[in-house]
Amino acid sequence: MSILQANFDLKAKVQVAIDRIRQFEPREGYWLAMSYGKDSEVVYDLAVRSFVKFDAHFNQSLEPPELVYFGRQHYPTVKVEKQPGFNFYIKMAEKGFPLRQRRWCCEYMKEWGGSGRMVLTGVRWAESASRKRNRKLVDTMSKSRISGEPKVCVNPIIDWTTKEVWEYLRVRQLPYCSLYDEGASGRYRGD
């Protein structure tokens, strides 16, 4: 099935996302934030289809082995990086266990990448009320304690639903990590 045979609304959203990616393309290319999750896979595929310059990065932290294996198998050109000198357990002893109301770990484990660059992400409003309130198509992230320089994030699928993400993966016949079929997130696929 081609994207032309897919839901008309999705077809329109795909074109809008591609246009967004092209519109903000920096001269040096994007720093694509890759998590090997469904949303970043869609953005990776859209970036390829947009014919823009980008280099994809996976900030490795405490991911399950299935996810790391999936990434190595399906995205071998993605650069795998770790926060230099960071040890989760030492930081946890200092700051306490990360909680929903006190999430310090993402800053150290995920958000430090792309400093000083235009970052392409798979952030979507449908993921949380906080993202719906606080995130925009283009976000300027201030200088953090970790990254050193501010960065600009472009979120081309920010207005996509979870159902649309899964439909895109299915129509494009993109593989996804098996953990989606083994946990709560798998129920959204609509199969």
Side-chain angles (χ1 to χ4, degrees):
M1 178 190 288
S2 75
I3 201 72
L4 298 174
Q5 296 168 310
N7 172 318
F8 177 77
D9 291 336
L10 179 62
K11 181 182 172 196
K13 281 192 169 184
V14 167
Q15 189 56 56
V16 167
I18 288 172
D19 292 344
R20 289 170 173 170
I21 292 168
R22 289 175 178 160
Q23 177 184 358
F24 298 105
E25 180 185 12
R27 194 173 293 131
E28 71 278 6
Y30 286 108
W31 193 98
L32 192 144
M34 185 64 167
S35 69
Y36 303 139
K38 64 187 184 328
D39 302 322
S40 64
E41 279 192 86
V42 168
V43 171
Y44 185 97
D45 191 65
L46 289 167
V48 169
R49 294 178 67 198
S50 299
F51 300 105
V52 296
K53 182 178 176 183
F54 70 93
D55 47 294
H57 302 261
F58 174 70
N59 291 348
Q60 188 170 3
S61 54
L62 298 173
E63 288 78 22
E66 297 91 340
L67 185 69
V68 175
Y69 175 75
F70 171 80
R72 286 182 191 151
Q73 181 181 13
H74 295 284
Y75 296 96
T77 61
V78 171
K79 296 173 183 149
V80 177
E81 301 174 355
K82 286 187 176 185
Q83 165 73 308
F86 175 76
N87 182 303
F88 175 79
Y89 301 103
I90 291 172
K91 192 57 75 176
M92 189 171 70
E94 175 187 317
K95 293 186 165 286
F97 197 79
L99 302 170
R100 187 173 182 208
Q101 300 83 4
R102 192 179 64 218
R103 286 188 180 157
W104 56 264
C105 52
C106 286
E107 181 179 6
Y108 289 89
M109 298 168 79
K110 293 290 182 191
E111 297 169 359
W112 60 272
S115 179
R117 297 275 307 273
M118 181 83 74
V119 179
L120 201 54
T121 81
V123 167
R124 294 182 303 109
W125 287 327
E127 293 177 289
S128 72
S130 173
R131 286 189 174 180
K132 178 99 173 155
R133 273 191 318 275
N134 300 322
R135 300 302 291 267
K136 300 177 289 206
L137 170 62
V138 178
D139 282 322
T140 301
M141 309 299 273
S142 62
K143 179 178 173 181
S144 78
R145 295 175 300 218
I146 308 303
S147 64
E149 295 181 56
K151 60 185 170 186
V152 176
C153 294
V154 177
N155 309 306
I157 63 168
I158 197 157
D159 52 354
W160 286 33
T161 65
T162 301
K163 183 179 178 184
E164 289 165 336
V165 169
W166 283 113
E167 183 178 357
Y168 184 89
L169 290 170
R170 187 177 62 251
V171 168
R172 295 284 296 159
Q173 298 179 339
L174 297 174
Y176 57 87
C177 182
S178 65
L179 292 174
Y180 281 111
D181 292 331
E182 297 168 18
S185 296
R187 71 176 184 259
Y188 298 115
R189 290 191 306 120
D191 292 343

